[in-house]
Amino acid sequence: MTTLITYDDVGAALQRIRRHVHETPLLTSTRLGDRAGGIRLMLKCESFQRTGSFKARGALNAMMQLSDAERGRGVVAVSAGNHAQALAWAASTVGSEAVTVMPAHASAAKVEATRGYGGKVELVDGEMIRAFQRAEQLASEGRVMVHPFADPRVAAGQGTVALEILAHADDLDAVIVPIGGGGLIAGIATVIKSQRPHVRVIGVEPERAPTMRRSLDAGSPQTIPVQTVADGLAAPTTAELNL
């Protein structure tokens, strides 16, 4: 049975990573709030986070919990770009080496940024699922897999976003979270529902990449074909931890 992460796991992650990551701002957006019906709407600006996304939180939390021997073996992951950059940065921070398998159509800017953070990149032709398969092969050959979402250390790290939200927002009605594979919403839901159970946590997916919706409907993790310009939300599968 999959062991779910807890609020304490997320709290420990924040203590572990906080001196290396930014506490990003929570800013109001009047224009978006007006478009949504005249509500008070806030944006958690993780675009200002190290490597440009919340992914730095989970990647670093995972890397900091590896043993010296595991760090010496190096790590591997699969990513469309954001987790790749984050893991390259996190691996460099703790003195390890990251290889990320990325689809051949991945953003050239994200590929170069990953290399700039010290990571190695292997490009794979075809659908995203082939990148996952190649990463699993590299893990079987000795590298440690740091999965972009199906890793409790990663999900707990992503949940630190919610701790910062709660520290600065007292009157929440809902938290709206984008879903790719489900690591971010797993961490955020763990925090929000344990501390403020009345607050709704709403996941949003691209219409042509509804991996979590299909998995919820089926009652088990599903793998589906996806097609969306939102490359960070194009995970073709999810996992029991996230579901």
Side-chain angles (χ1 to χ4, degrees):
M1 179 177 289
T2 300
T3 301
L4 299 181
I5 62 172
T6 67
Y7 177 78
D8 288 342
D9 291 331
V10 181
L14 183 60
Q15 293 303 313
R16 194 174 290 119
I17 69 175
R18 68 189 319 164
R19 69 187 182 92
H20 298 284
V21 300
H22 301 312
E23 180 173 346
T24 55
L26 187 65
L27 304 178
T28 57
S29 175
T30 301
R31 179 173 295 183
L32 288 178
D34 289 345
R35 289 180 62 182
I39 65 172
R40 182 169 181 261
L41 187 146
M42 294 174 287
L43 302 174
K44 180 60 169 162
C45 299
E46 284 293 290
S47 54
F48 296 147
Q49 187 53 263
R50 289 189 181 275
T51 75
S53 82
F54 68 88
K55 294 283 191 176
R57 299 171 182 267
L60 184 60
N61 189 50
M63 291 301 306
M64 293 183 78
Q65 293 182 76
L66 298 183
S67 67
D68 290 342
E70 288 173 322
R71 293 178 187 178
R73 287 159 51 193
V75 297
V76 63
V78 58
S79 173
N82 291 341
H83 183 62
Q85 294 171 79
L87 189 62
W89 167 76
S92 296
T93 299
V94 303
S96 186
E97 178 192 75
V99 173
T100 304
V101 183
M102 303 176 71
H105 60 265
S107 161
K110 291 182 178 181
V111 171
E112 288 309 306
T114 300
R115 291 170 173 155
Y117 286 117
K120 295 182 177 180
V121 175
E122 182 173 324
L123 299 175
V124 174
D125 289 324
E127 296 183 358
M128 191 67 176
I129 194 64
R130 292 189 62 189
F132 277 90
Q133 293 167 347
R134 175 56 179 158
E136 290 169 358
Q137 179 184 350
L138 291 173
S140 71
E141 294 171 358
R143 287 185 174 270
V144 178
M145 174 71 81
V146 180
H147 200 281
F149 52 84
D151 184 320
R153 301 165 299 188
V154 170
Q158 319 304 31
T160 61
V161 170
L163 293 178
E164 293 178 10
I165 291 174
L166 292 182
H168 298 286
D170 295 326
D171 55 349
L172 289 174
D173 295 311
V175 179
I176 302 169
V177 188
I179 300 178
L184 179 63
I185 197 168
I188 286 180
T190 295
V191 172
I192 298 296
K193 287 299 183 179
S194 66
Q195 300 302 298
R196 299 187 191 174
H198 65 283
V199 175
R200 296 182 69 194
V201 178
I202 302 170
V204 179
E205 293 180 298
E207 288 185 353
R208 298 180 72 177
T211 308
M212 187 64 75
R213 182 67 266 168
R214 295 278 185 87
S215 298
L216 287 167
D217 291 344
S220 62
Q222 301 294 299
T223 299
I224 66 171
V226 297
Q227 186 176 9
T228 173
V229 297
D231 59 349
L233 302 179
T237 188
T238 186
E240 288 188 13
L241 170 70
N242 312 98
L243 182 59

